[in-house]
Amino acid sequence: MTKKILLASIFTGAFFAFGQNEVDAYRLSNTYVQGSARFDAMGGSFGALGAESGCIGINPAGFGRNSVSAFTFGLSGTQAKTNAHFNGNSSSMDAFNVRVPNLSGTIVSDVSSSNSGLIYTQLSFGINRVANFNNSFNYSGQQFESLLDVFAATANGINPSQLYATYPYTSSLAYQTYTIDPDGNNNYYPRLNSGDMIHNQTIFDKGGINEYYLAFSANYLDKIYFGASISYNTLNFSESQVHKETLTDTTGVSLRSFVYQRDYSTKGGGATVKLGAIFLPVDYLRLGIAIHTPTFYQLTDQYTANMEALHNYGMETVDPSLVPSDRYKYRIWTPTKFVGSLGFVFQDKGCVNVDLEYVNYSWARLKTTTDGAYASYDYAAENGVIKAQMVDALNIRIGGEWAINNTVFIRGGYGYYPKGDTLARSYGKNYNQTISGGLGYRINRIYIDMSIRYLMQSSVYKAFYESRTELNTVNTTFNVGIQYKFDYK
């Protein structure tokens, strides 16, 4: 019996899309900036407060609030736990990694003697974590539809001798492993009968984005603070998908099971500029504004796929010379971001900050490479999908801190991030959120901070049409940091 189904959109990854599409543009644009333990504890809400290394992710004018030099170092561990629900079956999978989320230095110069109105200037530099892609999930269960239905339907009308040239990553692999067969009219059917298939798929994602920055800021009469930074983001992302299906009924067919694997990775980097200002109309009130230009990424993708099938007579594999492998260069421009911030400071007792961050994901663009060694490509169709499918969003971050005897600090924060993809909004919650908290302790010029931050996300993954898996992911990040303040002469 032949089963015919269609390809469908995929909201957490693309089973057949090897990069250069709206999924990649959204992944690079939808980030959750991390920083020091203090920054994380307050939900990353620091746009109007400043005097904190993590403010590079929001408003570089925040460095202007420093009156003494400082060095900050942190270490964090993140556990990503994903619960998957597929056709009534539930499974859970964890991924854990340790990294340095923040390493920074700020050198403060006293320029008040110039009588120009400037009191301090600051030169800041460091590394900040912008995104964490480490995650894994697995799902399993029975359903009638098979991945082989997709491979057979895709191959229809193609002569077997042309399958490798036309569909090297999908239908060609299925044909070589005798999991789909042609008839005399170049139509294909899978070696299946009317029984269900037992599906088991595992996805491993690794990598992240690190920001290397240099910033200059200044303090004008303790009323206006302004700053500018230039950053270079390094990107490293890899994804491995292993899809296995086993027949529940093998009557009249040789096929018993098959495994299809796809591996994809992308590396590269891109520059961005951030400008910001903070204004203090009165001592207790602070107003911040910032703009982030697009990050202009230059990326290189590598991808491959393979397949093997178990028949009643033995294992069928792909000829090594016909295992596809490609390398491709292209560019992505992420959207411009606008940030407005409002902060309240209660003398030396504490503070509260609210950040409103506007980003229109439909402004992201894919562009052809400028490397003459690679073929150029017109991304009009892909950019059309981005423009039609992506929407704007207003991210909200709220954070607060309370000081006890100016020695012990209690902190908390919350972040609300609406999804910028209309398809993603239609499945699960239409937003992601963060909840955080932490403690700080001051010993003379040394500050020791600890934080915990939860990032909660819901999404839907489809390997193909009629193969829907609901995902709920919680990223738990523990962060410990130390800051040392000193006078620079």
Side-chain angles (χ1 to χ4, degrees), residues 439-471:
L439 298 172
Y441 184 67
R442 178 181 178 180
I443 309 173
N444 297 323
R445 294 192 172 192
I446 298 177
Y447 294 75
I448 301 173
D449 301 303
M450 296 174 290
S451 69
I452 182 171
R453 189 178 189 181
Y454 299 95
L455 168 61
M456 291 155 285
Q457 301 169 289
S458 63
S459 57
V460 166
Y461 171 82
K462 287 191 175 183
F464 55 91
Y465 185 72
E466 296 297 344
S467 179
R468 168 175 168 162
T469 304
E470 297 181 358
L471 303 176

Side-chain angles (χ1 to χ4, degrees), residues 200-216:
N200 189 297
Q201 185 174 145
T202 303
I203 292 87
F204 299 95
D205 288 346
K206 294 182 180 180
I209 302 175
N210 287 322
E211 177 182 31
Y212 297 80
Y213 67 88
L214 180 66
F216 177 81

Side-chain angles (χ1 to χ4, degrees), residues 404-418:
I404 301 176
N405 297 326
N406 205 29
T407 300
V408 178
F409 302 85
I410 302 173
R411 301 162 182 141
Y414 174 78
Y416 174 81
Y417 299 87

Side-chain angles (χ1 to χ4, degrees), residues 364-381:
R365 287 295 179 268
L366 293 161
K367 293 183 174 291
T368 190
T369 180
T370 56
D371 189 336
Y374 293 82
S376 62
Y377 177 76
D378 181 3
Y379 285 99

Side-chain angles (χ1 to χ4, degrees), residues 193 245 280 324 480:
N193 52 35
E245 292 186 30
L280 273 65
V480 177

Side-chain angles (χ1 to χ4, degrees), residues 384-402:
V385 173
I386 292 173
K387 188 174 181 180
Q389 185 173 311
M390 303 301 166
V391 294
D392 60 353
L394 184 66
N395 301 325
I396 302 172
R397 293 184 293 266
I398 304 172
E401 176 181 76
W402 189 256

